[in-house]
Amino acid sequence: MATTQDPLLLMREAIRTNSAMIPTTSADNLDAPVEVPIPQATHLVFSQSPRVALPIDTPTRFVNNENKTIDLRSCFFVWSVRESTFPSYNAAAAKLSEELPGDGSVYSFAWVERLELIAYLEGSSEESEFIKRLPGDKDGAAAASATSTAALKAAPAAGQARSGRGTLDPRLLQIYNGERRMGDRNTVLRGIKPTDFSHVRKLAQLFMARKPSPSATNIANNPALALNQKPQRRPDPIILLSPSASALLRLSNVKSFLENGRYTPTDRSSTASMLHISRLMKDIDPNRPMRFILVEGPEQFRPEYWNRVVAVFTTGQAWQFKNYRWSNPTELFRHVQGIYLGWRGEPAPETVRAFGHRVLSCAVEKWRDPTAPGAEQSRWRDREVVESIWKAIEANMRTKGWRKDAAPTSI
């Protein structure tokens, strides 16, 4: 049992390979673990090869806003109920804390914390402000190779310890034992004995004093810049959808529309509470796509989240804005780009027209049965509508101060 492996990387690898993560009461029988409910579990078994069992209360690299380290049980529980709405998740987390024996409890993630953890585990995000990097990992390469390296070292021992069904081929064990172990950069540079290079600093000071670098001069002239200040990651912009049942765009069909340029009817059975879409905003960051967060309501918003809202889809119904930071539509659309989507040939509601030019009014062809003659030909205008929506969003983002490495602090 490899207890030194990183819990988050093990979870991410299990999700990538569709391997089971099994809560159990013992780490002895890894070949056939008995699954138990989370309140009774003491270990979590990762069924990818080689199998690994970690205590379920193992600390992870996830650190919340209060600098508290979150345990493996809390992270596994978040992933197991990832399809639930945020209020349902909070209720389930409170119930689980009551069922845990003794003083055990499960951490209740905040809305953004839960979002960041799920995105990291499913592989849509490579880093997060809440997840500490592995020691020595500056470019993300160490994180990607840590699991495979640990698995390679553990494979011979695991194969020798196992017997019966699943025993590794002896020839494969011989190959593993004959492998040359690669060291990290520290062992390559320093060798087997630690070397003191502190004297080099005194020699370098002579050259640094003669010609200081421009960056060092800027920092020295600006006391507001900390010497060890790390660049902050640009937050993801947020798009708010209308929760109205009459809205043409909901979480069930907005991804296919905004990403693929094709309108499909809403799925009323969908229970998703949020999702991500990616879009290359060439005038803001031409080198990498921006990830947008889409939600239907601001119930879990913190005050600073409103500075990340870049668009609001509306049907013109005033009750939609009741819990918004700006409940008056006229004031709201002074800060955020408004978008109305209706059927082609039907006029926009009077309330939408009253909002003025700050709300972009778009229309798509009415949905027809795909099997009907000419149904597919009527959808060719969808992409044109999508491009006009993204053009308005991008223009508003540039005006509010979105840049490739920064987001506005106030809109």
Side-chain angles (χ1 to χ4, degrees):
M1 184 174 63
T3 58
T4 59
Q5 298 196 41
D6 183 74
L8 293 184
L9 290 181
L10 288 174
M11 289 184 64
R12 193 173 185 183
E13 180 66 16
I15 295 166
R16 185 186 67 83
T17 59
N18 291 324
S19 302
M21 294 180 284
I22 306 171
T24 182
T25 58
S26 174
D28 298 332
N29 188 9
L30 296 183
D31 290 330
V34 178
E35 185 172 1
V36 299
I38 297 179
Q40 304 174 14
T42 59
H43 291 76
L44 187 64
V45 176
F46 299 88
S47 58
Q48 63 262 35
S49 180
R51 294 199 171 202
V52 176
L54 294 182
I56 203 165
D57 56 355
T58 301
T60 68
R61 290 183 289 116
F62 194 98
V63 179
N64 65 4
N65 286 320
E66 299 176 355
N67 203 29
K68 176 184 176 182
T69 301
I70 310 304
D71 59 1
L72 177 59
R73 180 193 288 115
S74 302
C75 296
F76 173 70
F77 178 68
V78 164
W79 177 256
S80 64
V81 295
R82 61 191 179 280
E83 299 296 338
S84 302
T85 61
F86 192 74
S88 300
Y89 160 73
N90 281 336
K95 181 179 179 182
L96 178 58
S97 296
E98 295 176 357
E99 295 175 352
L100 290 175
D103 298 332
S105 64
V106 64
Y107 174 69
S108 181
F109 283 75
W111 182 73
V112 171
E113 293 173 350
R114 176 174 178 245
L115 178 69
E116 292 283 341
L117 177 60
I118 293 175
Y120 177 80
L121 293 178
E122 68 184 7
S124 61
S125 175
E126 295 299 328
E127 60 180 9
S128 170
E129 58 182 312
F130 300 105
I131 299 178
K132 293 183 177 180
R133 291 185 174 182
L134 293 171
D137 179 17
K138 291 186 178 180
D139 57 0
S145 62
T147 302
S148 58
T149 303
L152 185 62
K153 293 182 178 180
Q160 294 171 354
R162 296 165 62 183
S163 61
R165 182 177 63 84
T167 303
L168 291 178
D169 191 309
R171 291 174 295 177
L172 184 58
L173 288 175
Q174 185 177 4
I175 293 174
Y176 280 149
N177 292 330
E179 284 183 336
R180 178 183 177 185
R181 303 302 180 190
M182 302 297 294
D184 56 17
R185 60 182 182 182
N186 291 325
T187 58
V188 171
L189 293 175
R190 296 181 179 273
I192 60 175
K193 295 188 298 181
T195 306
D196 183 12
F197 291 101
S198 60
H199 65 283
V200 179
R201 184 181 303 172
K202 297 180 180 180
L203 300 176
Q205 285 179 350
L206 299 176
F207 300 95
M208 295 175 64
R210 294 177 183 176
K211 187 177 181 180
S213 64
S215 59
T217 304
N218 294 337
I219 293 177
N221 295 335
N222 190 348
L225 297 177
L227 293 178
N228 296 325
Q229 185 178 13
K230 297 182 179 179
Q232 295 183 353
R233 186 174 68 91
R234 181 189 62 201
D236 298 329
I238 299 174
I239 297 177
L240 280 170
L241 303 179
S242 172
S244 173
S246 62
L248 300 188
L249 284 183
R250 302 291 298 274
L251 286 175
S252 59
N253 65 341
V254 68
K255 188 176 182 70
S256 63
F257 184 67
L258 292 182
E259 279 196 342
N260 304 326
R262 178 179 173 81
Y263 179 81
T264 57
T266 59
D267 182 4
R268 299 185 183 278
S269 62
S270 175
T271 59
S273 59
M274 58 186 171
L275 56 83
H276 304 96
I277 62 173
S278 296
R279 171 79 178 188
L280 184 64
M281 313 298 275
K282 295 182 180 180
D283 291 340
I284 297 177
D285 190 348
N287 299 320
R288 56 174 180 168
M290 297 184 71
R291 189 180 70 165
F292 291 80
I293 301 173
L294 276 74
V295 293
E296 289 186 347
E299 288 78 11
Q300 307 301 328
F301 272 26
R302 293 180 180 175
E304 61 269 21
Y305 294 170
W306 281 103
N307 295 325
R308 297 162 54 181
V309 177
V310 295
V312 172
F313 282 81
T314 180
T315 58
Q317 296 167 298
W319 60 263
Q320 175 185 348
F321 316 117
K322 181 179 179 181
N323 296 325
Y324 282 23
R325 178 179 177 181
W326 302 283
S327 57
N328 186 332
T330 304
E331 180 68 17
L332 170 66
F333 296 124
R334 289 177 182 173
H335 300 274
V336 182
Q337 175 67 50
I339 301 171
Y340 167 78
L341 184 69
W343 295 125
R344 190 177 299 275
E346 295 183 1
E350 180 62 29
T351 53
V352 173
R353 295 198 299 269
F355 294 154
H357 68 279
R358 293 186 177 90
V359 175
L360 175 68
S361 184
C362 304
V364 294
E365 297 290 341
K366 289 188 177 181
W367 174 255
R368 299 170 59 187
D369 187 350
T371 59
E376 290 299 320
Q377 297 178 3
S378 66
R379 302 255 62 90
W380 66 273
R381 291 182 176 178
D382 291 351
R383 183 170 295 278
E384 180 182 356
V385 175
V386 170
E387 292 302 322
S388 66
I389 291 175
W390 280 118
K391 183 178 180 180
I393 293 176
E394 185 173 12
N396 179 72
M397 292 177 65
R398 293 199 313 269
T399 303
K400 297 302 180 181
W402 285 88
R403 302 291 182 266
K404 66 178 181 179
D405 56 354
T409 57
S410 176
I411 60 173

